[in-house]
């Protein structure tokens, strides 16, 4: 708080204030460029925003643009941000975000871990002390623990089961410390696969460029920093690289992609590429997409490029969460 009692707005709160001030039409256009994680962060701040005076709004807007007229007081809240998100995200995405903001803000660390893919949890547990791994499995949802167990080597699986059976109660203070450590170590840092690495950060930027710009940057780097260019090429993932995913990972990816996006993305691709992608879909969805593609209805190049970028970005996000593995070294196995 400032000396006069005015609330000091921080980063996400400032963004939420500006979005409320500009109204839904303009805010909706801007939010479409946010990632789901960014929307989630702003939503949490918006739900707890409270009153914002016209003076505060004017002072904030002056940092971004001149000539801003006074507006009415704003009272941010969950209902306002939910209305703002309508039409931008799917009902399922909005429900997930709002339930976390409103209903599940105090969910335990164990519930949150239970939402992570079983393969990712298994990879994490195999690096931990067996007693720690056993504790985690005893606290997550039984359905989650059962799936994780199937991903573990048999000796470790049996070892953890024995430890879980002999697990003794842990005092509250110790458990709180364990939960905090897990939150910091597991939930906060788990998805950061190579995010702290400079090459990984640059690769993430290049991944979001148009294909021609991407090649131009890499060609230029190859002439001045060939080693870095080689490392970057190994970290990149483009739409064409979807064929390098394992069949299981392709299915996992395209389960999250709306059919109309798939239709757009596949326009202009060759038959072999289409077969690989279509093989990852259910028979009903595959028939529908094949029918749409056979109609040969033209689409704007911009729409096709946007659909491909959407799928590529999703693949990178899922890889960051440990749900799929990109850039598989065994490309032949992945392709077929």
């Amino acid at each position: 708080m400032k000396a006069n009692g005015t609330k000091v707005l921080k980063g996400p709160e400032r963004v939420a204030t500006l979005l409320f001030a500009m109204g839904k039409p303009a805010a909706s256009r801007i939010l479409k460029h946010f990632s789901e994680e960014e929307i989630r962060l702003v939503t949490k701040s918006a739900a707890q925003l409270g009153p914002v005076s016209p003076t505060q709004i004017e002072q904030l807007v002056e940092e971004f643009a001149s000539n801003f007229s006074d507006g009415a007081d704003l009272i941010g809240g969950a209902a306002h941000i939910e209305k703002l998100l309508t039409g931008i995200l799917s009902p399922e995405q909005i429900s997930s975000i709002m339930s976390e903001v409103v209903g599940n803000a105090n969910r335990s660390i164990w519930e949150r871990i239970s939402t992570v893919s079983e393969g990712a949890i298994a990879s994490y547990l195999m690096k931990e002390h067996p007693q720690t791994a056993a504790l985690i499995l005893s606290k997550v949802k039984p359905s989650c623990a059962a799936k994780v167990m199937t991903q573990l080597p048999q000796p470790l699986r049996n070892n953890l089961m024995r430890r879980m059976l002999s697990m003794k109660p842990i005092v509250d203070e110790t458990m709180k410390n364990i939960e905090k450590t897990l939150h910091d170590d597991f939930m906060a840092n788990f998805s950061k696969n190579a995010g702290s690495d400079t090459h990984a950060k640059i690769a993430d930027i290049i991944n979001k460029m148009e294909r021609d710009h991407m090649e131009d940057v890499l060609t230029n780097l190859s002439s001045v920093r060939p080693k870095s260019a080689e490392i970057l090429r190994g970290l990149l993932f483009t739409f064409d690289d979807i064929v390098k995913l394992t069949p299981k990972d392709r299915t996992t990816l395209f389960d999250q992609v709306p059919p109309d996006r798939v239709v757009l993305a596949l326009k202009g691709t060759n038959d072999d590429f289409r077969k690989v992608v279509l093989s990852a879909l259910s028979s009903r969805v595959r028939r529908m997409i094949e029918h749409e593609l056979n109609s040969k209805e033209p689409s704007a190049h911009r729409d096709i490029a946007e659909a491909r970028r959407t799928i590529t970005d999703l693949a990178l996000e899922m890889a960051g969460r440990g749900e799929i593995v990109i850039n598989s070294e065994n490309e032949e196995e992945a392709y077929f």
Side-chain angles (χ1 to χ4, degrees):
M1 289 283 187
K2 293 183 179 179
N4 61 4
T6 303
K7 180 181 180 181
V8 178
L9 299 177
K10 299 180 180 179
E13 294 171 331
R14 291 155 65 88
V15 175
T17 300
L18 287 170
L19 291 173
F20 280 131
M22 64 180 63
K24 181 174 179 179
S28 298
R29 290 195 296 272
I30 292 175
L31 280 170
K32 287 180 180 178
H33 298 282
F34 283 28
S35 68
E36 186 171 339
E37 184 59 33
E38 290 169 336
I39 292 177
R40 192 180 297 275
L41 180 62
V42 173
T43 299
K44 290 180 180 179
S45 297
Q48 302 170 4
L49 186 58
V52 181
S53 69
T55 301
Q56 284 180 284
I57 298 170
E58 185 173 359
Q59 291 173 346
L60 177 59
V61 173
E62 282 179 353
E63 295 181 23
F64 299 90
S66 59
N67 302 322
F68 183 80
S69 58
D70 288 344
D73 284 3
L74 290 177
I75 300 179
H80 292 80
I81 194 66
E82 183 173 6
K83 183 178 180 181
L84 199 62
L85 293 176
T86 302
I88 302 171
L89 301 179
S90 68
E92 292 77 14
Q93 288 174 309
I94 294 175
S95 176
S96 173
I97 291 175
M98 296 311 299
S99 65
E100 180 176 332
V101 172
V102 182
N104 294 327
N106 294 320
R107 286 189 310 167
S108 72
I109 181 66
W110 311 113
E111 289 180 271
R112 296 199 293 275
I113 290 178
S114 296
T115 65
V116 179
S117 70
E118 59 269 21
I121 297 175
S123 297
Y124 177 82
L125 296 185
M126 284 190 283
K127 300 174 185 176
E128 292 298 307
H129 188 281
Q131 194 66 20
T132 302
L135 173 62
I136 294 173
L137 286 175
S138 69
K139 290 293 185 179
V140 299
K141 293 180 179 179
S143 58
C144 171
K147 291 178 181 178
V148 172
M149 284 289 196
T150 64
Q151 303 287 320
L152 299 174
Q154 185 178 12
L156 177 58
R157 184 167 64 239
N158 293 336
N159 182 4
L160 295 183
M161 191 62 73
R162 289 193 299 269
R163 289 174 180 269
M164 290 168 67
L165 285 170
S166 59
M167 189 79 65
K168 296 180 179 179
I170 300 176
V171 296
D172 291 344
E173 190 62 31
T174 301
M175 182 58 73
K176 287 180 181 178
N177 290 333
I178 292 173
E179 290 175 350
K180 183 180 184 304
T181 300
L182 279 174
H183 180 273
D184 295 340
D185 186 41
F186 191 91
M187 297 306 296
N189 299 322
F190 184 74
S191 63
K192 297 180 182 177
N193 48 0
S196 60
D197 181 77
T198 301
H199 288 94
K201 291 179 180 178
I202 299 301
D204 188 43
I205 294 172
I206 297 176
N207 261 318
K208 291 177 168 51
M209 292 181 174
E210 295 295 333
R211 187 60 185 252
D212 292 344
H213 296 166
M214 178 188 297
E215 289 299 330
D216 181 63
V217 168
L218 291 172
T219 300
N220 180 267
L221 280 175
S222 295
S223 63
V224 293
R225 299 187 62 175
K227 187 174 181 179
S228 289
E230 183 180 353
I231 294 173
L232 286 170
R233 286 187 184 277
L235 293 172
L236 296 178
F237 183 83
T238 67
F239 185 70
D240 293 338
D241 292 325
I242 284 175
V243 297
K244 299 177 183 179
L245 298 176
T246 64
K248 179 181 178 181
D249 283 349
R250 276 198 301 272
T251 299
T252 301
L253 170 62
F254 282 98
D255 278 347
Q256 306 297 319
V257 183
D260 62 322
R261 295 279 90 185
V262 180
V263 171
L264 272 174
L266 287 180
K267 289 190 174 183
T269 57
N270 60 50
D271 290 340
D272 289 340
F273 186 92
R274 287 187 183 184
K275 287 178 182 178
V276 173
V277 172
L278 292 173
S279 67
L281 308 175
S282 67
S283 56
R284 180 183 65 82
V285 175
R286 183 169 61 248
R287 287 195 300 271
M288 181 181 71
I289 291 176
E290 286 175 333
H291 174 74
E292 292 292 330
L293 290 172
N294 290 333
S295 69
K296 300 188 183 300
E297 183 177 343
S299 296
H301 174 73
R302 180 183 61 185
D303 294 337
I304 294 174
E306 182 180 347
R308 293 178 180 178
R309 171 57 57 201
T310 299
I311 295 172
T312 303
D313 286 347
L314 176 60
L316 290 167
E317 291 170 10
M318 294 177 72
R321 295 193 297 266
E323 297 172 9
I324 64 174
V325 177
I326 62 175
N327 294 326
S328 172
E329 295 183 3
N330 192 345
E331 295 182 15
E332 183 177 352
E333 178 183 349
Y335 195 99
F336 297 101

